[in-house]
Amino acid sequence: MQIGEIKFKSAHPVFLAPMEDVTDVGFRLQCKEYGADMVYTEFVSADALIRSVDKTCQKLHILEEERPVAIQIYGRDVESMVEAARIVEESHPDILDLNFGCPVKRVAGKGAGAGMLQNIPLLLEITREVVMAVKIPVTVKTRLGWDHEHRIIHDLALQLQDCGIAALAIHGRTRSQMYNGEADWTLIGEVKNDPRIRIPIIGNGDVTSAEVARDMFNRYGVDAIMVGRATFGRPWIFREIQHLLTTGQPLPPMTVAECLAALKQQVKISVDRIGEYRGILHIRRHLAATPVFKGIPNFRETRIAMLRAENVTDLYALMDQAAERAASLRAE
């Protein structure tokens, strides 16, 4: 598979999906270490970037070790998206991705992200103008449509291709679904298997295990897949997927000690990057979601204590305690 001049060695590339307040540089590097073929930044507001908002500009920071890497932007008018695209290009990402899929109210409700699915002419104009404004490959991530009655992705994919994008990622839900219900890959497969489609199609939505990833490739023929929420507290999911796709055999489960070391590495990376208190706050969603501690009897109090910890020493002690209980549970 190839996007622009970027050639992926893997026959079935697996990407880390862009996620706000999740895919910072530290997490991207960790997912890369576990086998992600490409990573995406958190989404970047075009308006905030143009105004040089410091927190937004920091999202443009990328490292050589994480390449290939895509920077994703969102906005609601042509001028700001074009200007933001040019600013992003100066950071030298491998790909510029346009976010036409974020469903959250503060984005879509203002006409950006998935809100663009209610204004297809503007969505296409933004895409055309951005493609012409930069020299790096431009890709798009979007959804099936605004709601069930307007699942327009098949026609939209052809129109976006005509705008000059280098690849299209499709999340198998509408905006009205948010993240509820099951992702519907049927239309993703129809887009991919349309002989008029010449660009790579990337499937996204509910890829929660190596087995699901394999099935999505086999059933729908997509060129690549994106993994999103299943990476929370589980960056090693990329290793599991890559092993199954490469060997045809499931990877033996990581030990609790190995998982604990990976989680502690996440904490350390976060704390080193933004300080102890903020770093722990940032990592809490991973600790809450990780499968490592699932199934431990009467774990609620320990989980709450972990999420309330304010220093690394206390947090590590609680994680060690939880890991010991998890290991005992596995040994039974």
Side-chain angles (χ1 to χ4, degrees):
M1 176 192 159
Q2 186 169 337
I3 299 178
E5 299 300 317
I6 304 166
K7 295 181 180 179
F8 296 93
K9 296 178 182 178
S10 173
H12 299 94
V14 184
F15 300 160
L16 171 65
M19 292 176 284
E20 175 66 4
D21 204 34
V22 176
T23 53
D24 57 80
V25 63
F27 190 60
R28 298 196 304 267
L29 284 170
Q30 194 175 30
C31 290
K32 194 78 175 183
E33 178 184 332
Y34 281 107
D37 291 289
M38 186 163 74
V39 296
Y40 289 67
T41 65
E42 303 171 75
F43 57 65
V44 176
S45 164
D47 290 337
L49 191 58
I50 292 167
R51 290 186 282 110
S52 299
V53 175
D54 185 58
K55 186 177 180 180
T56 299
C57 293
Q58 289 176 13
K59 294 180 181 180
L60 302 186
H61 177 62
I62 57 178
L63 299 175
E64 288 300 313
E65 305 95 284
E66 59 179 310
R67 294 187 184 279
V69 57
I71 293 179
Q72 187 186 73
I73 62 173
Y74 72 96
R76 55 183 177 178
D77 65 81
V78 175
E79 184 178 353
S80 64
M81 286 289 277
V82 167
E83 186 175 351
R86 288 173 174 150
I87 294 171
V88 166
E89 188 173 33
E90 293 175 0
S91 294
H92 305 294
D94 299 284
I95 287 171
L96 170 65
D97 189 66
L98 305 183
N99 179 330
F100 297 140
C102 178
V104 300
K105 187 175 181 179
R106 68 182 178 85
V107 175
K110 296 179 179 178
M116 279 287 165
L117 292 168
Q118 291 188 302
N119 191 343
I120 299 302
L122 178 58
L123 182 157
L124 296 174
E125 183 182 2
I126 287 173
T127 305
R128 276 193 300 268
E129 294 300 321
V130 169
V131 167
M132 290 191 294
V134 297
K135 293 182 175 61
I136 57 177
V138 176
T139 60
V140 164
K141 186 172 189 289
T142 189
R143 290 185 165 228
L144 301 179
W146 179 258
D147 55 28
H148 185 78
E149 288 70 36
H150 300 89
R151 296 190 297 171
I152 46 86
I153 189 59
H154 202 147
D155 289 340
L156 180 59
L158 291 165
Q159 292 171 305
L160 287 167
Q161 178 176 263
D162 289 343
C163 290
I165 66 170
L168 173 63
I170 306 171
H171 182 105
R173 289 182 174 87
T174 63
R175 189 274 171 176
S176 63
Q177 284 182 273
M178 301 294 287
Y179 295 102
N180 300 317
E182 294 183 0
D184 179 2
W185 281 63
T186 305
L187 288 177
I188 300 176
E190 287 182 11
V191 171
K192 169 56 195 172
N193 293 298
D194 186 329
R196 295 171 293 176
I197 291 290
R198 302 180 304 276
I199 58 175
I201 300 299
I202 305 158
N204 177 223
D206 293 351
V207 179
T208 55
S209 69
E211 290 74 19
V212 171
R214 177 194 58 195
D215 291 347
M216 296 303 101
F217 275 118
N218 291 343
R219 190 178 305 171
Y220 300 104
V222 291
D223 298 285
I225 62 169
M226 278 184 178
V227 188
R229 290 172 292 163
T231 64
F232 292 0
R234 190 187 173 191
W236 54 83
I237 190 174
F238 291 102
R239 178 181 292 174
E240 296 170 346
I241 293 173
Q242 297 287 12
H243 189 274
L244 182 62
L245 292 176
T246 303
T247 69
Q249 300 297 320
L251 184 71
M254 288 173 60
T255 66
V256 171
E258 290 171 329
C259 295
L260 179 65
L263 292 175
K264 284 185 175 181
Q265 182 187 17
Q266 278 191 268
V267 174
K268 184 178 186 305
I269 290 170
S270 184
V271 168
D272 288 349
R273 188 173 66 89
I274 55 178
E276 186 170 47
Y277 180 74
R278 289 176 58 218
I280 291 174
L281 281 178
H282 179 70
I283 214 68
R284 282 177 177 171
R285 76 169 69 226
H286 294 280
L287 297 178
T290 184
V292 178
F293 307 132
K294 290 191 184 304
I296 298 177
N298 305 312
F299 187 63
R300 183 173 181 273
E301 288 187 8
T302 304
R303 185 183 301 278
I304 291 173
M306 286 171 56
L307 299 180
R308 289 178 176 173
E310 296 184 357
N311 63 74
V312 171
T313 300
D314 290 346
L315 179 57
Y316 278 4
L318 290 163
M319 292 171 68
D320 288 340
Q321 176 188 339
E324 185 176 344
R325 293 175 63 188
S328 297
L329 194 65
R330 286 195 188 184
E332 291 178 359

